[in-house]
Amino acid sequence: MAVEGELGAAGLRRLRESRGWSWADLARALRDTARELGMASQSTLPVTSIQRTVARWESPTDRTKPGDRYQYLLARIYAKTPTGNWDLGTGSDFAKLLDALRDFGTSPQRIDRLIDSITHARPSPPNPARVADDLVDHLAVTVADLNQQVGSTPFVRLQLQLAPVLDACRSLLTGSKPATDLLILATDAYALAARLAFETRDDDVAMALYRDAEATAARLPDRSRLAAVRTSHTMVTLHATDDLNASLQLARTATVDAHRGSSHAIRARAHAIHAEVQARAGNPNAAAIALDRAWKTVDQLSLDDPFAAFNAHRVSGFEGLCALYSGQADHANELLTRSLSSLAGPRDAVQRGIGATDLALARLALGDAAACVTLLHEAVDITATTGGRVPAQRIGRARRHLRSWREESFVAELDDHIHDTLLGR
């Protein structure tokens, strides 16, 4: 039989994990809520201090239950769904929190006071149209924030946090004529979910989500977003299936859509991806034509382009990869070095892992196996942190190119690093 407190600890842990939160995530939510409510004692504490408190609540042996102030803060947090809607009904997170507090031995009177406090704190229902607009704005910020965490937060946790956003989008899209902001939100949410499904090796779900994203983006008058989704779909198809024909068809369609949209960055990306697929298919002339179009388009890029993160440095990376496939190792080395040095932001971590393996192969093609291995060590460390699927594939491919050096000690050290860091996890 469970000792009093064990069930409460387990309940709080399940509740936190159901939102994809770490202890630190919940600690930040508690601190931020305390600041909103003007509760100085909790709002000024370091997150690490609150995090230790959260850990004690969830410990099966400590049996420390949340005090009154923390109970109220938890109630304010869990009274709202992850999408920001108030929900105090049966089966809600708020109801589950109360069950966990009861399992800690919290008195019925204290539970009643919490219910009264949260019920009175809940605002009166505003205008439904305004609620919908506010919700779309809130969800758009959430999707943008989750997208920025790719490469620094485990993909599974991002999936958990994105799941309620997808549910909300599907519900909102049932209206007769969705607004442009909603269509943009839903497109971005579906595309991000597809990327995350690919990273977690759920390829069937990824492809279905890309179809949802494309169908939603096709309802927008500007085709730039549709082209953006199709470029992502192209690369995922390429790396998930190695189907060059399907990838080429998607890449060509993306370039057509891109020229029906306003973003020069997306046009450049579409041509660059088309070039890569052509190079992989052994069509260097077609790849060169596509690259030329990418360069001409990126030269027209304006700073107010919403997709301006794709710039000349990114095109250099694609040109370097195409040069690598066509046997121009010197040119590939120059371009890939330049591109890799530009990938300095947190959101670039996965791409840095990919770029490091591509540059490693260029160095190997130039006869410098030791430099190749040095770069692969860097890629292994990056991939261990990001969990990126594509850099892991690239590392495996690069290692196969090192077979002629398998007797060298530096290759044995690389094998140990790959095994201990990537395969041994």
Side-chain angles (χ1 to χ4, degrees), residues 101-122:
L101 295 178
R102 291 187 185 98
D103 288 332
F104 269 117
T106 304
S107 69
Q109 293 82 7
R110 174 60 186 164
I111 296 293
D112 289 342
R113 285 198 296 274
L114 273 176
I115 294 172
D116 287 343
S117 298
I118 297 302
T119 301
H120 288 126
R122 182 179 183 177

mmCIF file with all atom_site columns, all heavy atoms in Angstrom, residues 101-122:
data_model
loop_
_atom_site.group_PDB
_atom_site.id
_atom_site.type_symbol
_atom_site.label_atom_id
_atom_site.label_alt_id
_atom_site.label_comp_id
_atom_site.label_asym_id
_atom_site.label_entity_id
_atom_site.label_seq_id
_atom_site.pdbx_PDB_ins_code
_atom_site.Cartn_x
_atom_site.Cartn_y
_atom_site.Cartn_z
_atom_site.occupancy
_atom_site.B_iso_or_equiv
_atom_site.pdbx_formal_charge
_atom_site.auth_seq_id
_atom_site.auth_comp_id
_atom_site.auth_asym_id
_atom_site.auth_atom_id
_atom_site.pdbx_PDB_model_num
ATOM 1   N N   . LEU A 1 101 ? -3.112  16.866 -4.556  1.00 0.00 ? 101 LEU A N   1
ATOM 2   C CA  . LEU A 1 101 ? -3.037  17.518 -3.246  1.00 0.00 ? 101 LEU A CA  1
ATOM 3   C C   . LEU A 1 101 ? -3.802  16.725 -2.189  1.00 0.00 ? 101 LEU A C   1
ATOM 4   O O   . LEU A 1 101 ? -3.367  16.628 -1.031  1.00 0.00 ? 101 LEU A O   1
ATOM 5   C CB  . LEU A 1 101 ? -3.567  18.946 -3.345  1.00 0.00 ? 101 LEU A CB  1
ATOM 6   C CG  . LEU A 1 101 ? -2.746  19.911 -4.229  1.00 0.00 ? 101 LEU A CG  1
ATOM 7   C CD1 . LEU A 1 101 ? -3.409  21.280 -4.285  1.00 0.00 ? 101 LEU A CD1 1
ATOM 8   C CD2 . LEU A 1 101 ? -1.314  20.033 -3.705  1.00 0.00 ? 101 LEU A CD2 1
ATOM 9   N N   . ARG A 1 102 ? -4.942  16.152 -2.580  1.00 0.00 ? 102 ARG A N   1
ATOM 10  C CA  . ARG A 1 102 ? -5.668  15.288 -1.636  1.00 0.00 ? 102 ARG A CA  1
ATOM 11  C C   . ARG A 1 102 ? -4.817  14.092 -1.237  1.00 0.00 ? 102 ARG A C   1
ATOM 12  O O   . ARG A 1 102 ? -4.808  13.671 -0.073  1.00 0.00 ? 102 ARG A O   1
ATOM 13  C CB  . ARG A 1 102 ? -6.987  14.820 -2.264  1.00 0.00 ? 102 ARG A CB  1
ATOM 14  C CG  . ARG A 1 102 ? -8.031  15.918 -2.449  1.00 0.00 ? 102 ARG A CG  1
ATOM 15  C CD  . ARG A 1 102 ? -9.361  15.342 -2.915  1.00 0.00 ? 102 ARG A CD  1
ATOM 16  N NE  . ARG A 1 102 ? -10.331 16.382 -3.214  1.00 0.00 ? 102 ARG A NE  1
ATOM 17  C CZ  . ARG A 1 102 ? -10.596 16.843 -4.436  1.00 0.00 ? 102 ARG A CZ  1
ATOM 18  N NH1 . ARG A 1 102 ? -9.954  16.322 -5.494  1.00 0.00 ? 102 ARG A NH1 1
ATOM 19  N NH2 . ARG A 1 102 ? -11.484 17.807 -4.614  1.00 0.00 ? 102 ARG A NH2 1
ATOM 20  N N   . ASP A 1 103 ? -4.088  13.528 -2.235  1.00 0.00 ? 103 ASP A N   1
ATOM 21  C CA  . ASP A 1 103 ? -3.223  12.380 -1.940  1.00 0.00 ? 103 ASP A CA  1
ATOM 22  C C   . ASP A 1 103 ? -2.072  12.758 -1.017  1.00 0.00 ? 103 ASP A C   1
ATOM 23  O O   . ASP A 1 103 ? -1.485  11.890 -0.363  1.00 0.00 ? 103 ASP A O   1
ATOM 24  C CB  . ASP A 1 103 ? -2.674  11.786 -3.242  1.00 0.00 ? 103 ASP A CB  1
ATOM 25  C CG  . ASP A 1 103 ? -3.742  11.049 -4.049  1.00 0.00 ? 103 ASP A CG  1
ATOM 26  O OD1 . ASP A 1 103 ? -4.699  10.544 -3.425  1.00 0.00 ? 103 ASP A OD1 1
ATOM 27  O OD2 . ASP A 1 103 ? -3.624  10.985 -5.302  1.00 0.00 ? 103 ASP A OD2 1
ATOM 28  N N   . PHE A 1 104 ? -1.733  14.030 -0.974  1.00 0.00 ? 104 PHE A N   1
ATOM 29  C CA  . PHE A 1 104 ? -0.727  14.508 -0.025  1.00 0.00 ? 104 PHE A CA  1
ATOM 30  C C   . PHE A 1 104 ? -1.302  14.701 1.378   1.00 0.00 ? 104 PHE A C   1
ATOM 31  O O   . PHE A 1 104 ? -0.575  15.028 2.318   1.00 0.00 ? 104 PHE A O   1
ATOM 32  C CB  . PHE A 1 104 ? -0.144  15.854 -0.497  1.00 0.00 ? 104 PHE A CB  1
ATOM 33  C CG  . PHE A 1 104 ? 1.077   15.730 -1.364  1.00 0.00 ? 104 PHE A CG  1
ATOM 34  C CD1 . PHE A 1 104 ? 1.067   16.176 -2.672  1.00 0.00 ? 104 PHE A CD1 1
ATOM 35  C CD2 . PHE A 1 104 ? 2.253   15.166 -0.875  1.00 0.00 ? 104 PHE A CD2 1
ATOM 36  C CE1 . PHE A 1 104 ? 2.195   16.082 -3.478  1.00 0.00 ? 104 PHE A CE1 1
ATOM 37  C CE2 . PHE A 1 104 ? 3.382   15.071 -1.672  1.00 0.00 ? 104 PHE A CE2 1
ATOM 38  C CZ  . PHE A 1 104 ? 3.353   15.521 -2.979  1.00 0.00 ? 104 PHE A CZ  1
ATOM 39  N N   . GLY A 1 105 ? -2.626  14.547 1.498   1.00 0.00 ? 105 GLY A N   1
ATOM 40  C CA  . GLY A 1 105 ? -3.263  14.729 2.794   1.00 0.00 ? 105 GLY A CA  1
ATOM 41  C C   . GLY A 1 105 ? -3.785  16.130 3.027   1.00 0.00 ? 105 GLY A C   1
ATOM 42  O O   . GLY A 1 105 ? -4.101  16.506 4.164   1.00 0.00 ? 105 GLY A O   1
ATOM 43  N N   . THR A 1 106 ? -3.912  16.938 1.965   1.00 0.00 ? 106 THR A N   1
ATOM 44  C CA  . THR A 1 106 ? -4.463  18.288 2.105   1.00 0.00 ? 106 THR A CA  1
ATOM 45  C C   . THR A 1 106 ? -5.918  18.199 2.544   1.00 0.00 ? 106 THR A C   1
ATOM 46  O O   . THR A 1 106 ? -6.690  17.386 2.028   1.00 0.00 ? 106 THR A O   1
ATOM 47  C CB  . THR A 1 106 ? -4.358  19.040 0.760   1.00 0.00 ? 106 THR A CB  1
ATOM 48  O OG1 . THR A 1 106 ? -2.989  19.049 0.337   1.00 0.00 ? 106 THR A OG1 1
ATOM 49  C CG2 . THR A 1 106 ? -4.848  20.472 0.892   1.00 0.00 ? 106 THR A CG2 1
ATOM 50  N N   . SER A 1 107 ? -6.302  19.035 3.481   1.00 0.00 ? 107 SER A N   1
ATOM 51  C CA  . SER A 1 107 ? -7.647  18.951 4.071   1.00 0.00 ? 107 SER A CA  1
ATOM 52  C C   . SER A 1 107 ? -8.726  19.360 3.074   1.00 0.00 ? 107 SER A C   1
ATOM 53  O O   . SER A 1 107 ? -8.470  20.163 2.171   1.00 0.00 ? 107 SER A O   1
ATOM 54  C CB  . SER A 1 107 ? -7.745  19.864 5.294   1.00 0.00 ? 107 SER A CB  1
ATOM 55  O OG  . SER A 1 107 ? -7.712  21.224 4.904   1.00 0.00 ? 107 SER A OG  1
ATOM 56  N N   . PRO A 1 108 ? -9.947  18.813 3.218   1.00 0.00 ? 108 PRO A N   1
ATOM 57  C CA  . PRO A 1 108 ? -11.057 19.205 2.339   1.00 0.00 ? 108 PRO A CA  1
ATOM 58  C C   . PRO A 1 108 ? -11.328 20.702 2.381   1.00 0.00 ? 108 PRO A C   1
ATOM 59  O O   . PRO A 1 108 ? -11.684 21.300 1.365   1.00 0.00 ? 108 PRO A O   1
ATOM 60  C CB  . PRO A 1 108 ? -12.243 18.399 2.888   1.00 0.00 ? 108 PRO A CB  1
ATOM 61  C CG  . PRO A 1 108 ? -11.620 17.228 3.572   1.00 0.00 ? 108 PRO A CG  1
ATOM 62  C CD  . PRO A 1 108 ? -10.344 17.735 4.146   1.00 0.00 ? 108 PRO A CD  1
ATOM 63  N N   . GLN A 1 109 ? -11.151 21.314 3.569   1.00 0.00 ? 109 GLN A N   1
ATOM 64  C CA  . GLN A 1 109 ? -11.397 22.757 3.697   1.00 0.00 ? 109 GLN A CA  1
ATOM 65  C C   . GLN A 1 109 ? -10.409 23.559 2.835   1.00 0.00 ? 109 GLN A C   1
ATOM 66  O O   . GLN A 1 109 ? -10.778 24.546 2.190   1.00 0.00 ? 109 GLN A O   1
ATOM 67  C CB  . GLN A 1 109 ? -11.268 23.196 5.169   1.00 0.00 ? 109 GLN A CB  1
ATOM 68  C CG  . GLN A 1 109 ? -12.347 22.621 6.077   1.00 0.00 ? 109 GLN A CG  1
ATOM 69  C CD  . GLN A 1 109 ? -12.030 21.193 6.523   1.00 0.00 ? 109 GLN A CD  1
ATOM 70  O OE1 . GLN A 1 109 ? -10.948 20.676 6.249   1.00 0.00 ? 109 GLN A OE1 1
ATOM 71  N NE2 . GLN A 1 109 ? -12.986 20.577 7.206   1.00 0.00 ? 109 GLN A NE2 1
ATOM 72  N N   . ARG A 1 110 ? -9.129  23.117 2.842   1.00 0.00 ? 110 ARG A N   1
ATOM 73  C CA  . ARG A 1 110 ? -8.124  23.804 2.043   1.00 0.00 ? 110 ARG A CA  1
ATOM 74  C C   . ARG A 1 110 ? -8.411  23.629 0.550   1.00 0.00 ? 110 ARG A C   1
ATOM 75  O O   . ARG A 1 110 ? -8.286  24.582 -0.233  1.00 0.00 ? 110 ARG A O   1
ATOM 76  C CB  . ARG A 1 110 ? -6.724  23.242 2.374   1.00 0.00 ? 110 ARG A CB  1
ATOM 77  C CG  . ARG A 1 110 ? -5.602  23.777 1.497   1.00 0.00 ? 110 ARG A CG  1
ATOM 78  C CD  . ARG A 1 110 ? -5.464  25.276 1.604   1.00 0.00 ? 110 ARG A CD  1
ATOM 79  N NE  . ARG A 1 110 ? -4.486  25.798 0.656   1.00 0.00 ? 110 ARG A NE  1
ATOM 80  C CZ  . ARG A 1 110 ? -4.374  27.081 0.311   1.00 0.00 ? 110 ARG A CZ  1
ATOM 81  N NH1 . ARG A 1 110 ? -5.199  27.970 0.844   1.00 0.00 ? 110 ARG A NH1 1
ATOM 82  N NH2 . ARG A 1 110 ? -3.462  27.466 -0.543  1.00 0.00 ? 110 ARG A NH2 1
ATOM 83  N N   . ILE A 1 111 ? -8.857  22.446 0.145   1.00 0.00 ? 111 ILE A N   1
ATOM 84  C CA  . ILE A 1 111 ? -9.218  22.197 -1.249  1.00 0.00 ? 111 ILE A CA  1
ATOM 85  C C   . ILE A 1 111 ? -10.364 23.119 -1.663  1.00 0.00 ? 111 ILE A C   1
ATOM 86  O O   . ILE A 1 111 ? -10.343 23.722 -2.746  1.00 0.00 ? 111 ILE A O   1
ATOM 87  C CB  . ILE A 1 111 ? -9.608  20.712 -1.468  1.00 0.00 ? 111 ILE A CB  1
ATOM 88  C CG1 . ILE A 1 111 ? -8.415  19.794 -1.218  1.00 0.00 ? 111 ILE A CG1 1
ATOM 89  C CG2 . ILE A 1 111 ? -10.171 20.504 -2.868  1.00 0.00 ? 111 ILE A CG2 1
ATOM 90  C CD1 . ILE A 1 111 ? -7.292  19.912 -2.204  1.00 0.00 ? 111 ILE A CD1 1
ATOM 91  N N   . ASP A 1 112 ? -11.370 23.248 -0.793  1.00 0.00 ? 112 ASP A N   1
ATOM 92  C CA  . ASP A 1 112 ? -12.505 24.125 -1.100  1.00 0.00 ? 112 ASP A CA  1
ATOM 93  C C   . ASP A 1 112 ? -12.060 25.571 -1.270  1.00 0.00 ? 112 ASP A C   1
ATOM 94  O O   . ASP A 1 112 ? -12.549 26.293 -2.154  1.00 0.00 ? 112 ASP A O   1
ATOM 95  C CB  . ASP A 1 112 ? -13.563 24.026 0.006   1.00 0.00 ? 112 ASP A CB  1
ATOM 96  C CG  . ASP A 1 112 ? -14.294 22.690 -0.016  1.00 0.00 ? 112 ASP A CG  1
ATOM 97  O OD1 . ASP A 1 112 ? -14.247 22.005 -1.052  1.00 0.00 ? 112 ASP A OD1 1
ATOM 98  O OD2 . ASP A 1 112 ? -14.910 22.341 1.020   1.00 0.00 ? 112 ASP A OD2 1
ATOM 99  N N   . ARG A 1 113 ? -11.131 26.022 -0.408  1.00 0.00 ? 113 ARG A N   1
ATOM 100 C CA  . ARG A 1 113 ? -10.652 27.397 -0.507  1.00 0.00 ? 113 ARG A CA  1
ATOM 101 C C   . ARG A 1 113 ? -9.900  27.622 -1.820  1.00 0.00 ? 113 ARG A C   1
ATOM 102 O O   . ARG A 1 113 ? -10.019 28.681 -2.439  1.00 0.00 ? 113 ARG A O   1
ATOM 103 C CB  . ARG A 1 113 ? -9.752  27.742 0.694   1.00 0.00 ? 113 ARG A CB  1
ATOM 104 C CG  . ARG A 1 113 ? -10.511 27.971 1.997   1.00 0.00 ? 113 ARG A CG  1
ATOM 105 C CD  . ARG A 1 113 ? -9.658  28.720 3.024   1.00 0.00 ? 113 ARG A CD  1
ATOM 106 N NE  . ARG A 1 113 ? -8.491  27.949 3.439   1.00 0.00 ? 113 ARG A NE  1
ATOM 107 C CZ  . ARG A 1 113 ? -8.488  27.055 4.411   1.00 0.00 ? 113 ARG A CZ  1
ATOM 108 N NH1 . ARG A 1 113 ? -9.617  26.805 5.085   1.00 0.00 ? 113 ARG A NH1 1
ATOM 109 N NH2 . ARG A 1 113 ? -7.392  26.413 4.745   1.00 0.00 ? 113 ARG A NH2 1
ATOM 110 N N   . LEU A 1 114 ? -9.117  26.623 -2.244  1.00 0.00 ? 114 LEU A N   1
ATOM 111 C CA  . LEU A 1 114 ? -8.412  26.732 -3.526  1.00 0.00 ? 114 LEU A CA  1
ATOM 112 C C   . LEU A 1 114 ? -9.402  26.852 -4.681  1.00 0.00 ? 114 LEU A C   1
ATOM 113 O O   . LEU A 1 114 ? -9.242  27.683 -5.578  1.00 0.00 ? 114 LEU A O   1
ATOM 114 C CB  . LEU A 1 114 ? -7.515  25.509 -3.754  1.00 0.00 ? 114 LEU A CB  1
ATOM 115 C CG  . LEU A 1 114 ? -6.099  25.561 -3.186  1.00 0.00 ? 114 LEU A CG  1
ATOM 116 C CD1 . LEU A 1 114 ? -5.405  24.217 -3.419  1.00 0.00 ? 114 LEU A CD1 1
ATOM 117 C CD2 . LEU A 1 114 ? -5.290  26.685 -3.831  1.00 0.00 ? 114 LEU A CD2 1
ATOM 118 N N   . ILE A 1 115 ? -10.439 26.017 -4.649  1.00 0.00 ? 115 ILE A N   1
ATOM 119 C CA  . ILE A 1 115 ? -11.447 26.055 -5.715  1.00 0.00 ? 115 ILE A CA  1
ATOM 120 C C   . ILE A 1 115 ? -12.118 27.417 -5.756  1.00 0.00 ? 115 ILE A C   1
ATOM 121 O O   . ILE A 1 115 ? -12.294 28.014 -6.832  1.00 0.00 ? 115 ILE A O   1
ATOM 122 C CB  . ILE A 1 115 ? -12.486 24.934 -5.511  1.00 0.00 ? 115 ILE A CB  1
ATOM 123 C CG1 . ILE A 1 115 ? -11.827 23.558 -5.691  1.00 0.00 ? 115 ILE A CG1 1
ATOM 124 C CG2 . ILE A 1 115 ? -13.655 25.096 -6.491  1.00 0.00 ? 115 ILE A CG2 1
ATOM 125 C CD1 . ILE A 1 115 ? -12.720 22.400 -5.327  1.00 0.00 ? 115 ILE A CD1 1
ATOM 126 N N   . ASP A 1 116 ? -12.481 27.944 -4.579  1.00 0.00 ? 116 ASP A N   1
ATOM 127 C CA  . ASP A 1 116 ? -13.122 29.263 -4.524  1.00 0.00 ? 116 ASP A CA  1
ATOM 128 C C   . ASP A 1 116 ? -12.194 30.345 -5.060  1.00 0.00 ? 116 ASP A C   1
ATOM 129 O O   . ASP A 1 116 ? -12.619 31.230 -5.821  1.00 0.00 ? 116 ASP A O   1
ATOM 130 C CB  . ASP A 1 116 ? -13.518 29.598 -3.079  1.00 0.00 ? 116 ASP A CB  1
ATOM 131 C CG  . ASP A 1 116 ? -14.712 28.792 -2.597  1.00 0.00 ? 116 ASP A CG  1
ATOM 132 O OD1 . ASP A 1 116 ? -15.428 28.224 -3.461  1.00 0.00 ? 116 ASP A OD1 1
ATOM 133 O OD2 . ASP A 1 116 ? -14.921 28.711 -1.378  1.00 0.00 ? 116 ASP A OD2 1
ATOM 134 N N   . SER A 1 117 ? -10.921 30.299 -4.650  1.00 0.00 ? 117 SER A N   1
ATOM 135 C CA  . SER A 1 117 ? -9.967  31.326 -5.075  1.00 0.00 ? 117 SER A CA  1
ATOM 136 C C   . SER A 1 117 ? -9.786  31.333 -6.587  1.00 0.00 ? 117 SER A C   1
ATOM 137 O O   . SER A 1 117 ? -9.776  32.392 -7.230  1.00 0.00 ? 117 SER A O   1
ATOM 138 C CB  . SER A 1 117 ? -8.607  31.095 -4.402  1.00 0.00 ? 117 SER A CB  1
ATOM 139 O OG  . SER A 1 117 ? -8.715  31.188 -2.999  1.00 0.00 ? 117 SER A OG  1
ATOM 140 N N   . ILE A 1 118 ? -9.651  30.134 -7.179  1.00 0.00 ? 118 ILE A N   1
ATOM 141 C CA  . ILE A 1 118 ? -9.425  30.048 -8.615  1.00 0.00 ? 118 ILE A CA  1
ATOM 142 C C   . ILE A 1 118 ? -10.703 30.400 -9.382  1.00 0.00 ? 118 ILE A C   1
ATOM 143 O O   . ILE A 1 118 ? -10.654 31.058 -10.429 1.00 0.00 ? 118 ILE A O   1
ATOM 144 C CB  . ILE A 1 118 ? -8.926  28.643 -9.002  1.00 0.00 ? 118 ILE A CB  1
ATOM 145 C CG1 . ILE A 1 118 ? -7.574  28.368 -8.327  1.00 0.00 ? 118 ILE A CG1 1
ATOM 146 C CG2 . ILE A 1 118 ? -8.795  28.508 -10.506 1.00 0.00 ? 118 ILE A CG2 1
ATOM 147 C CD1 . ILE A 1 118 ? -6.492  29.373 -8.656  1.00 0.00 ? 118 ILE A CD1 1
ATOM 148 N N   . THR A 1 119 ? -11.845 30.002 -8.860  1.00 0.00 ? 119 THR A N   1
ATOM 149 C CA  . THR A 1 119 ? -13.112 30.330 -9.518  1.00 0.00 ? 119 THR A CA  1
ATOM 150 C C   . THR A 1 119 ? -13.311 31.834 -9.583  1.00 0.00 ? 119 THR A C   1
ATOM 151 O O   . THR A 1 119 ? -13.731 32.394 -10.613 1.00 0.00 ? 119 THR A O   1
ATOM 152 C CB  . THR A 1 119 ? -14.291 29.674 -8.777  1.00 0.00 ? 119 THR A CB  1
ATOM 153 O OG1 . THR A 1 119 ? -14.100 28.260 -8.763  1.00 0.00 ? 119 THR A OG1 1
ATOM 154 C CG2 . THR A 1 119 ? -15.607 29.994 -9.468  1.00 0.00 ? 119 THR A CG2 1
ATOM 155 N N   . HIS A 1 120 ? -12.972 32.532 -8.491  1.00 0.00 ? 120 HIS A N   1
ATOM 156 C CA  . HIS A 1 120 ? -13.123 33.987 -8.477  1.00 0.00 ? 120 HIS A CA  1
ATOM 157 C C   . HIS A 1 120 ? -12.060 34.673 -9.341  1.00 0.00 ? 120 HIS A C   1
ATOM 158 O O   . HIS A 1 120 ? -12.285 35.772 -9.850  1.00 0.00 ? 120 HIS A O   1
ATOM 159 C CB  . HIS A 1 120 ? -13.039 34.509 -7.040  1.00 0.00 ? 120 HIS A CB  1
ATOM 160 C CG  . HIS A 1 120 ? -14.257 34.173 -6.222  1.00 0.00 ? 120 HIS A CG  1
ATOM 161 N ND1 . HIS A 1 120 ? -14.194 33.521 -5.013  1.00 0.00 ? 120 HIS A ND1 1
ATOM 162 C CD2 . HIS A 1 120 ? -15.578 34.367 -6.463  1.00 0.00 ? 120 HIS A CD2 1
ATOM 163 C CE1 . HIS A 1 120 ? -15.416 33.336 -4.530  1.00 0.00 ? 120 HIS A CE1 1
ATOM 164 N NE2 . HIS A 1 120 ? -16.276 33.843 -5.399  1.00 0.00 ? 120 HIS A NE2 1
ATOM 165 N N   . ALA A 1 121 ? -10.908 34.025 -9.490  1.00 0.00 ? 121 ALA A N   1
ATOM 166 C CA  . ALA A 1 121 ? -9.841  34.618 -10.303 1.00 0.00 ? 121 ALA A CA  1
ATOM 167 C C   . ALA A 1 121 ? -10.116 34.478 -11.790 1.00 0.00 ? 121 ALA A C   1
ATOM 168 O O   . ALA A 1 121 ? -9.592  35.241 -12.609 1.00 0.00 ? 121 ALA A O   1
ATOM 169 C CB  . ALA A 1 121 ? -8.502  33.957 -9.974  1.00 0.00 ? 121 ALA A CB  1
ATOM 170 N N   . ARG A 1 122 ? -10.961 33.509 -12.132 1.00 0.00 ? 122 ARG A N   1
ATOM 171 C CA  . ARG A 1 122 ? -11.255 33.268 -13.549 1.00 0.00 ? 122 ARG A CA  1
ATOM 172 C C   . ARG A 1 122 ? -12.051 34.438 -14.120 1.00 0.00 ? 122 ARG A C   1
ATOM 173 O O   . ARG A 1 122 ? -13.089 34.810 -13.575 1.00 0.00 ? 122 ARG A O   1
ATOM 174 C CB  . ARG A 1 122 ? -12.053 31.977 -13.696 1.00 0.00 ? 122 ARG A CB  1
ATOM 175 C CG  . ARG A 1 122 ? -12.366 31.603 -15.136 1.00 0.00 ? 122 ARG A CG  1
ATOM 176 C CD  . ARG A 1 122 ? -13.132 30.295 -15.184 1.00 0.00 ? 122 ARG A CD  1
ATOM 177 N NE  . ARG A 1 122 ? -13.392 29.869 -16.558 1.00 0.00 ? 122 ARG A NE  1
ATOM 178 C CZ  . ARG A 1 122 ? -13.984 28.734 -16.880 1.00 0.00 ? 122 ARG A CZ  1
ATOM 179 N NH1 . ARG A 1 122 ? -14.383 27.905 -15.926 1.00 0.00 ? 122 ARG A NH1 1
ATOM 180 N NH2 . ARG A 1 122 ? -14.182 28.421 -18.137 1.00 0.00 ? 122 ARG A NH2 1
#
